[in-house]
Amino acid sequence: MTTTPETEQDMMPVREATDWWSTGISRIRPGEILLRGYPVEQLIGEMSFTGMIWLMIRGELPTRAQERLLEAALVAAVDHGPQAPSIAAARMAATCGIGLNSAVATGVNLLGDVHGGAGQQCMEVLGQLDEEASAAGGDIDEAAARLVAEYRAAKLRVPGFGHRFHPRDPRRDPLLDLVGKAVENGEVPGRALRAGIALERALSERRGRPVPMNIDGATAIVYSELGFPPELGRGLFVLSRSVGIVSHAWEERFGGTRIKGPLPRPLLASYDGHAPREFTPKEPEERA
Amino acid sequence: MTTTPETEQDMMPVREATDWWSTGISRIRPGEILLRGYPVEQLIGEMSFTGMIWLMIRGELPTRAQERLLEAALVAAVDHGPQAPSIAAARMAATCGIGLNSAVATGVNLLGDVHGGAGQQCMEVLGQLDEEASAAGGDIDEAAARLVAEYRAAKLRVPGFGHRFHPRDPRRDPLLDLVGKAVENGEVPGRALRAGIALERALSERRGRPVPMNIDGATAIVYSELGFPPELGRGLFVLSRSVGIVSHAWEERFGGTRIKGPLPRPLLASYDGHAPREFTPKEPEERA
Amino acid sequence: MTTTPETEQDMMPVREATDWWSTGISRIRPGEILLRGYPVEQLIGEMSFTGMIWLMIRGELPTRAQERLLEAALVAAVDHGPQAPSIAAARMAATCGIGLNSAVATGVNLLGDVHGGAGQQCMEVLGQLDEEASAAGGDIDEAAARLVAEYRAAKLRVPGFGHRFHPRDPRRDPLLDLVGKAVENGEVPGRALRAGIALERALSERRGRPVPMNIDGATAIVYSELGFPPELGRGLFVLSRSVGIVSHAWEERFGGTRIKGPLPRPLLASYDGHAPREFTPKEPEERA
Amino acid sequence: MTTTPETEQDMMPVREATDWWSTGISRIRPGEILLRGYPVEQLIGEMSFTGMIWLMIRGELPTRAQERLLEAALVAAVDHGPQAPSIAAARMAATCGIGLNSAVATGVNLLGDVHGGAGQQCMEVLGQLDEEASAAGGDIDEAAARLVAEYRAAKLRVPGFGHRFHPRDPRRDPLLDLVGKAVENGEVPGRALRAGIALERALSERRGRPVPMNIDGATAIVYSELGFPPELGRGLFVLSRSVGIVSHAWEERFGGTRIKGPLPRPLLASYDGHAPREFTPKEPEERA
């Protein structure tokens, strides 16, 4: 039945296929589940969920200080209400007859470069600023002012600062306080915190009013201090915001609406397109 | 420009639109983020991530015992390797040029009725068995034997028991031990545990060999004891497995493969379709 | 490096892996792409896109009459405006910094059992009614009245009839006219059309007012007459609605909004949750 | 119950909300569906599905020549077999207990910058080359050689040329022939075709062997000649490949496998991670 030619590929060692799916994260054999080398049965009941997130992503156990900081950042970003498109889309999805998993996937999928990527981008900026300051002899404020000026010249917003909604994001202070204490205790290096504070100062001076860090900026500092690469900033945000997404999708399940759109029933989306017109199908020869 | 007729709908109170998106989970106003009534700045640094998951979904704080059990179940299910389609799909996605969030969405979307729904279904069975046993005078073993016989007659598998891979799922014992201790301490009712054990016994007797609970069964007991409705069993599994999905997607990012398919390059999917044939486009009149 | 035991699995023929991904749809070899047996280069420029959809799904070429009916149904369902959650979610997605493909995936994912499944369900009802009428001696109106009464008793809506929005769906008549002509010409059997008309009549009599078929009902008749199984009804709807989803996502890309939520900026989702409360972190021993 | 302050926002005109969802694509009112101004009932049975795609995206009807070219490109890209991750992921999804729509969404989501974006990128390159050649006095071959040299210096691949699998992509010639004829007939400008051919020549000369256009390059020429912006190149590819995705997901539904992973059952993903190790939970004070 099979018509693939039975030539080279039948000669290949099967290892090709199993190595193609090789991983260093988990070893699964009959009766055995190792996660980063640890038997899962030893972790259950002993590891915190946050510690598990660290272990799975980083490959080693966190220190208590690392776990505490990571936990604070994960807690801070769980939700920002149904006005966020990720939450709204998940709520609509929950009324369309798909499983809770698919409603969550809908929300998570929307945490893209613009909606979910600001933290990641801020981590990149923090790293860049730290490097530039070092290269230029160490004056972080001077380097921050330069970076802000460059962004302004390019008409770009520095990611992680200011909020279209909150004059001062209530999540900024507790997160930065925790990082500050960890720096004092020598638990994290403090370079990202220094860079973030310098940027906040430079931005505020430039604009002549406070431009406080938002949640993206504050968590970017936490994740940078903990040594995560920028792209994982988004990965961690996804894990955090998934909690809000599950909660909202679940709440909507009982909202009594089927096929919930963005507007309540009597309201109609307005139309600004072409005026009504007649369609006159042409004879095939005329359409040529 | 707008051509929607300016009639009834302009007369409607704007509250229609804001109430359409009403929620009891979070209150977001300028400078304020309340989560289930609590100011977010009070939670950061104090709440565990697991406690936050409970608070967001349930609306109230967990007891320490509830949090411990939930945490154990979340830790237990984070990963089962790249042979699971949810993990494999996320890894492939990570090589296709989409953000980490979209790779995670890909994996989560696959945790459907069959792949991610066994825990949810097991929770329904546990609840049903508990009710039937109560209704029939309380003999749980008799009720379990009846239920197993019914499933067998209908040629259905009881969800949550046996494993195509593990003779004995290593996650079963530690999870059930924790529930057992919580029952002893009067922290959870113990009815789901009783039902699960009875089912395991009935299945094993019926088949003449051990049919131990798998991860779906064991977490179903935890979530049932904690009072979660079945559908949230899947929601919690999604949160747990997302950790493995992020980790694997991230690992694959550095695997050096672009557009990773299921088979390594030299291997070709085999073909069992129609033999090669010529396509002879017909003149329009012949095709009629 | 690899630590998987080198035992049985190294002994397995590689065919295992290539056969695991076996397909009857396409044969891809170096320099060759066969689709359902036809060389792709013979199809390009000769096959219509609709004909290609038929060929890929059914495995054989459509007759001209089949192609015409399928085309009409695909054209009919492309869009129903941004009030549909599938369209709204895709538009929101397009403002979040994910690719057009992921915006489309977002919309398509929402075409679930409730939002996209009514056509599929209607196809099942049409088939069931046809069978019941045959079994009962052939009186389709009697069978339809019975089926409507059963649904009413179970407090269920018959899928595919009535519309919360349109008193009479403008897509009904042209689709049914086309099917009617095809029946007259002996091009399709006409059993689904007969069943649909009987249901429409029975529903209207029961309610004492017209309950005309909607787009789900009308396309269900087309797809049933063409011999598609119900589940593919949803598959074809997905292909059709994807056109509207791409168009709307693309339009939104230039709408000037970043991270578009369901409500315009100054409007806030209302809150009906717990009143503001203080969080007082307990000492670990107190929380037990 | 609602606690949102009843201040400014109650004063706002409701038009805010309906205009927020304004569109120029479709006007939906009771009993009316206008698509780009045309009543849907006039399109059904008269418009081809391909014509409908053009109308919805572009806003106006295509000429017959435009429709023919678009159709050829849509037909050409429907499938490339289960080795493509988009197809494989959709097939795995179909075995996990999610609807056909969600299986399609899974596949479409993977058509990202790398997997689905080559056509889009090629359109950008073609446009850039055309502009540069014009700016430099018109010698397209000189401009192409320069562009190829730049890519080589930057160690980048020119998107749309060469194939890791096909020595010569069988879809190239029929697509380019159609474009060539359309250029001769004055139906399309021919600038993208000229640029593409020049690039192909320059690449082949540089490497000393043929580097023929692949499907991404050939469809990029078609879409560019038809005046689509690059990003829509991906949008159209999504519509085309969705046909293959639906077909493969549907085929897999009957493959008899539940929760299909990338490897057949007896094969295990290999493991190259940390050697097995003991987890010794520390006392809280030790972990600090």
Side-chain angles (χ1 to χ4, degrees):
Chain A
M1 188 76 92
T2 299
T3 60
T4 315
E6 312 213 358
T7 56
E8 311 160 57
Q9 75 169 351
D10 279 332
M11 303 297 106
M12 297 186 47
V14 74
R15 181 156 300 288
E16 295 278 338
T18 59
D19 279 359
W20 184 246
W21 287 101
S22 175
T23 179
I25 295 172
S26 46
R27 192 174 86 176
I28 316 290
R29 294 185 194 165
E32 180 193 79
I33 298 174
L34 296 187
L35 300 173
R36 295 296 190 179
Y38 296 109
V40 69
E41 62 270 23
Q42 294 182 7
L43 301 169
I44 295 170
E46 297 294 343
M47 277 292 277
S48 72
F49 189 42
T50 300
M52 200 66 198
I53 291 171
W54 181 288
L55 173 62
M56 287 294 286
I57 294 178
R58 300 288 285 260
E60 295 298 331
L61 298 172
T63 66
R64 188 79 189 104
Q66 289 168 330
E67 187 182 326
R68 240 187 249 125
L69 275 182
L70 175 57
E71 188 136 63
L74 290 172
V75 163
V78 289
D79 190 23
H80 203 258
Q83 270 148 243
S86 51
I87 298 288
R91 293 187 73 120
M92 297 195 300
T95 71
C96 291
I98 59 180
L100 199 49
N101 61 306
S102 292
V104 175
T106 300
V108 165
N109 212 11
L110 264 62
L111 301 173
D113 288 351
V114 177
H115 188 12
Q120 174 179 344
Q121 292 148 23
C122 184
M123 290 172 78
E124 279 154 16
V125 172
L126 295 173
Q128 180 197 344
L129 174 55
D130 182 50
E131 271 181 41
E132 286 176 7
S134 300
D139 189 328
I140 190 86
D141 283 309
E142 214 173 277
R146 224 166 24 237
L147 191 146
V148 165
E150 284 163 19
Y151 268 77
R152 199 183 167 91
K155 299 199 172 165
L156 292 170
R157 296 172 350 121
V158 182
F161 296 84
H163 204 287
R164 62 188 190 198
F165 195 82
H166 300 297
R168 187 177 184 85
D169 191 314
R171 296 163 292 190
R172 177 201 176 281
D173 291 356
L175 284 173
L176 261 50
D177 286 354
L178 288 168
V179 177
K181 275 175 212 150
V183 173
E184 279 172 36
N185 297 339
E187 294 161 344
V188 294
R191 305 181 72 92
L193 179 61
R194 196 181 64 130
I197 296 289
L199 264 179
E200 198 179 48
R201 216 179 299 134
L203 278 162
S204 303
E205 271 169 28
R206 184 96 201 183
R207 299 218 202 128
R209 58 172 178 78
V211 186
M213 240 170 269
N214 56 34
I215 180 71
D216 298 314
T219 53
I221 287 177
V222 175
Y223 296 143
S224 295
E225 291 291 349
L226 293 174
F228 287 97
E231 197 175 351
L232 275 178
R234 192 187 314 185
L236 293 165
F237 177 53
V238 162
L239 294 180
S240 171
R241 184 54 57 93
S242 292
V243 177
I245 293 174
V246 166
S247 306
H248 279 278
W250 179 246
E251 185 187 47
E252 188 66 58
R253 199 72 130 206
F254 302 98
T257 305
R258 281 162 56 94
I259 315 183
K260 179 179 186 137
L263 296 171
R265 258 331 103 67
L267 293 188
L268 292 170
S270 68
Y271 175 71
D272 61 3
H274 199 287
R277 48 180 163 173
E278 291 290 306
F279 175 73
T280 45
K282 293 182 184 152
E283 295 305 306
E285 54 273 24
E286 291 177 54
R287 300 184 69 193
Chain B
M1 188 74 93
T2 298
T3 60
T4 315
E6 311 215 359
T7 56
E8 313 158 56
Q9 75 168 353
D10 278 333
M11 303 297 108
M12 298 186 45
V14 73
R15 181 155 301 285
E16 296 277 339
T18 59
D19 279 0
W20 183 247
W21 286 100
S22 176
T23 178
I25 295 172
S26 46
R27 191 172 87 176
I28 315 291
R29 294 184 192 164
E32 180 192 78
I33 298 174
L34 295 186
L35 300 175
R36 296 295 191 181
Y38 296 110
V40 69
E41 62 270 23
Q42 294 181 7
L43 301 169
I44 295 170
E46 297 293 343
M47 277 291 278
S48 73
F49 189 42
T50 300
M52 200 65 198
I53 292 171
W54 181 289
L55 174 62
M56 288 293 287
I57 293 178
R58 301 287 284 260
E60 296 297 332
L61 298 170
T63 65
R64 188 79 189 104
Q66 289 168 331
E67 187 182 326
R68 239 187 251 125
L69 275 183
L70 175 58
E71 189 136 61
L74 290 171
V75 163
V78 290
D79 190 24
H80 202 258
Q83 270 148 243
S86 51
I87 298 289
R91 291 186 75 119
M92 296 195 301
T95 70
C96 291
I98 59 180
L100 199 49
N101 61 304
S102 292
V104 176
T106 299
V108 166
N109 212 12
L110 264 61
L111 302 174
D113 288 350
V114 176
H115 188 12
Q120 175 178 343
Q121 292 148 23
C122 184
M123 289 172 78
E124 279 153 17
V125 171
L126 294 173
Q128 178 197 345
L129 174 55
D130 181 50
E131 272 182 41
E132 285 177 7
S134 300
D139 188 329
I140 190 85
D141 284 310
E142 215 173 275
R146 229 171 14 242
L147 192 146
V148 166
E150 283 163 20
Y151 267 77
R152 199 184 168 90
K155 298 198 173 167
L156 293 169
R157 294 172 354 120
V158 182
F161 295 84
H163 203 287
R164 62 189 191 198
F165 196 81
H166 299 298
R168 187 177 184 87
D169 191 314
R171 296 163 291 190
R172 177 201 176 281
D173 291 357
L175 284 173
L176 261 50
D177 286 354
L178 288 167
V179 177
K181 276 175 210 148
V183 173
E184 276 173 39
N185 297 340
E187 295 161 344
V188 294
R191 306 183 70 91
L193 179 60
R194 196 182 63 130
I197 296 288
L199 264 178
E200 198 179 47
R201 217 180 297 133
L203 277 162
S204 303
E205 272 169 30
R206 185 96 201 182
R207 299 218 202 130
R209 58 172 178 79
V211 185
M213 240 170 270
N214 56 35
I215 181 70
D216 299 313
T219 54
I221 287 177
V222 175
Y223 296 145
S224 295
E225 291 292 347
L226 292 173
F228 287 97
E231 198 175 350
L232 275 177
R234 194 188 312 188
L236 293 165
F237 177 54
V238 162
L239 294 179
S240 170
R241 183 55 56 94
S242 291
V243 177
I245 293 174
V246 166
S247 307
H248 280 277
W250 179 246
E251 184 187 48
E252 188 66 57
R253 199 72 128 208
F254 303 98
T257 306
R258 281 163 54 96
I259 316 182
K260 178 179 186 137
L263 296 172
R265 257 334 102 67
L267 293 188
L268 293 169
S270 68
Y271 175 70
D272 61 2
H274 199 287
R277 46 181 165 174
E278 292 290 305
F279 175 72
T280 45
K282 293 182 183 152
E283 295 306 304
E285 53 273 25
E286 290 176 55
R287 300 184 68 194
Chain C
M1 188 74 92
T2 299
T3 60
T4 315
E6 312 213 358
T7 56
E8 311 158 60
Q9 75 168 352
D10 279 332
M11 302 298 107
M12 298 186 45
V14 75
R15 181 155 301 285
E16 295 278 338
T18 58
D19 279 359
W20 183 248
W21 287 100
S22 175
T23 178
I25 295 172
S26 47
R27 191 174 87 175
I28 316 289
R29 295 186 193 163
E32 179 193 80
I33 299 175
L34 295 187
L35 301 174
R36 296 297 191 178
Y38 296 109
V40 69
E41 62 270 24
Q42 295 182 5
L43 301 170
I44 295 171
E46 297 293 341
M47 276 292 278
S48 72
F49 190 40
T50 300
M52 200 66 198
I53 292 171
W54 181 289
L55 173 64
M56 288 294 286
I57 294 178
R58 300 288 285 261
E60 296 297 331
L61 298 171
T63 65
R64 188 80 190 103
Q66 289 169 330
E67 188 183 325
R68 239 187 249 125
L69 275 182
L70 175 58
E71 189 137 62
L74 290 172
V75 163
V78 289
D79 189 25
H80 203 259
Q83 270 147 246
S86 51
I87 298 288
R91 292 188 74 120
M92 297 195 301
T95 71
C96 291
I98 59 179
L100 199 49
N101 61 305
S102 291
V104 175
T106 299
V108 165
N109 212 11
L110 265 61
L111 302 174
D113 287 351
V114 177
H115 188 11
Q120 175 179 344
Q121 291 148 24
C122 184
M123 288 172 80
E124 279 154 16
V125 172
L126 294 174
Q128 180 197 345
L129 174 55
D130 181 50
E131 271 181 41
E132 286 177 7
S134 300
D139 188 329
I140 190 87
D141 284 308
E142 214 174 277
R146 228 171 15 242
L147 191 147
V148 166
E150 284 163 19
Y151 269 77
R152 200 185 168 89
K155 299 199 172 167
L156 293 170
R157 296 175 347 123
V158 182
F161 295 85
H163 203 286
R164 62 188 191 199
F165 195 81
H166 299 298
R168 185 176 185 87
D169 191 314
R171 296 163 292 189
R172 177 200 176 281
D173 292 357
L175 284 173
L176 262 51
D177 285 355
L178 288 168
V179 177
K181 275 176 211 149
V183 173
E184 276 172 38
N185 297 340
E187 295 161 344
V188 294
R191 305 182 71 92
L193 178 61
R194 196 181 64 129
I197 296 289
L199 264 178
E200 199 180 46
R201 217 180 297 134
L203 278 162
S204 302
E205 270 168 30
R206 184 95 201 182
R207 299 217 201 129
R209 58 173 179 77
V211 185
M213 241 170 268
N214 55 35
I215 180 71
D216 298 313
T219 52
I221 286 177
V222 175
Y223 296 143
S224 295
E225 291 291 349
L226 292 173
F228 287 97
E231 197 174 353
L232 275 178
R234 193 188 311 187
L236 292 165
F237 178 53
V238 162
L239 294 180
S240 170
R241 184 54 57 92
S242 292
V243 177
I245 293 174
V246 166
S247 306
H248 279 278
W250 179 246
E251 185 186 48
E252 188 67 56
R253 200 72 128 207
F254 302 98
T257 307
R258 279 163 56 95
I259 316 182
K260 178 178 187 136
L263 296 171
R265 259 328 105 65
L267 294 187
L268 292 170
S270 68
Y271 175 69
D272 61 3
H274 199 287
R277 48 181 164 173
E278 292 290 305
F279 176 72
T280 45
K282 292 179 183 155
E283 295 305 306
E285 53 273 23
E286 292 176 54
R287 299 185 69 195
Chain D
M1 190 71 95
T2 299
T3 60
T4 314
E6 311 214 358
T7 56
E8 312 158 58
Q9 75 168 353
D10 280 331
M11 301 298 106
M12 297 188 45
V14 74
R15 181 155 300 286
E16 296 276 339
T18 59
D19 278 359
W20 184 247
W21 287 101
S22 176
T23 179
I25 295 171
S26 46
R27 191 171 88 176
I28 317 289
R29 294 185 192 164
E32 181 192 79
I33 298 173
L34 295 186
L35 300 174
R36 295 296 190 179
Y38 296 108
V40 70
E41 63 270 23
Q42 294 182 7
L43 301 170
I44 296 170
E46 298 293 343
M47 278 291 278
S48 73
F49 189 42
T50 300
M52 199 67 198
I53 292 171
W54 181 289
L55 173 63
M56 289 293 288
I57 293 178
R58 300 289 284 262
E60 297 297 332
L61 299 171
T63 65
R64 188 77 189 105
Q66 289 169 331
E67 188 183 325
R68 238 186 251 125
L69 275 182
L70 175 57
E71 189 136 62
L74 291 172
V75 163
V78 290
D79 188 26
H80 202 259
Q83 270 147 243
S86 51
I87 298 288
R91 293 188 73 121
M92 297 195 300
T95 70
C96 291
I98 59 180
L100 199 49
N101 61 305
S102 292
V104 176
T106 299
V108 165
N109 213 11
L110 264 61
L111 301 174
D113 287 351
V114 176
H115 188 13
Q120 174 178 345
Q121 292 148 23
C122 184
M123 288 172 79
E124 279 153 18
V125 172
L126 294 175
Q128 180 197 344
L129 174 55
D130 181 50
E131 272 182 40
E132 286 176 7
S134 301
D139 188 329
I140 191 84
D141 284 309
E142 214 173 277
R146 227 169 18 240
L147 192 146
V148 166
E150 283 163 20
Y151 269 77
R152 200 183 167 90
K155 298 198 174 168
L156 292 170
R157 297 175 347 124
V158 182
F161 296 85
H163 204 286
R164 63 188 189 198
F165 196 82
H166 300 296
R168 186 176 185 89
D169 192 314
R171 295 162 293 189
R172 177 203 176 281
D173 292 356
L175 284 172
L176 261 51
D177 286 353
L178 288 168
V179 177
K181 275 176 213 150
V183 174
E184 277 173 38
N185 296 339
E187 294 161 344
V188 295
R191 305 182 72 91
L193 178 62
R194 195 181 64 130
I197 295 289
L199 265 178
E200 198 179 48
R201 217 179 299 135
L203 279 162
S204 302
E205 271 169 28
R206 185 96 202 182
R207 298 218 203 129
R209 58 171 177 80
V211 185
M213 241 171 267
N214 57 35
I215 180 71
D216 298 314
T219 53
I221 287 178
V222 175
Y223 296 144
S224 296
E225 291 292 348
L226 293 175
F228 288 96
E231 199 175 351
L232 275 177
R234 192 187 315 187
L236 293 165
F237 177 53
V238 162
L239 295 180
S240 170
R241 184 54 56 93
S242 291
V243 176
I245 294 174
V246 166
S247 306
H248 279 278
W250 178 246
E251 184 186 50
E252 188 65 57
R253 199 72 127 207
F254 302 98
T257 306
R258 281 162 55 95
I259 315 182
K260 178 178 186 139
L263 295 172
R265 258 332 102 68
L267 294 187
L268 292 170
S270 67
Y271 175 70
D272 60 3
H274 199 287
R277 47 181 165 173
E278 291 291 306
F279 175 73
T280 44
K282 292 180 184 156
E283 295 305 305
E285 53 273 26
E286 290 177 54
R287 300 183 68 194

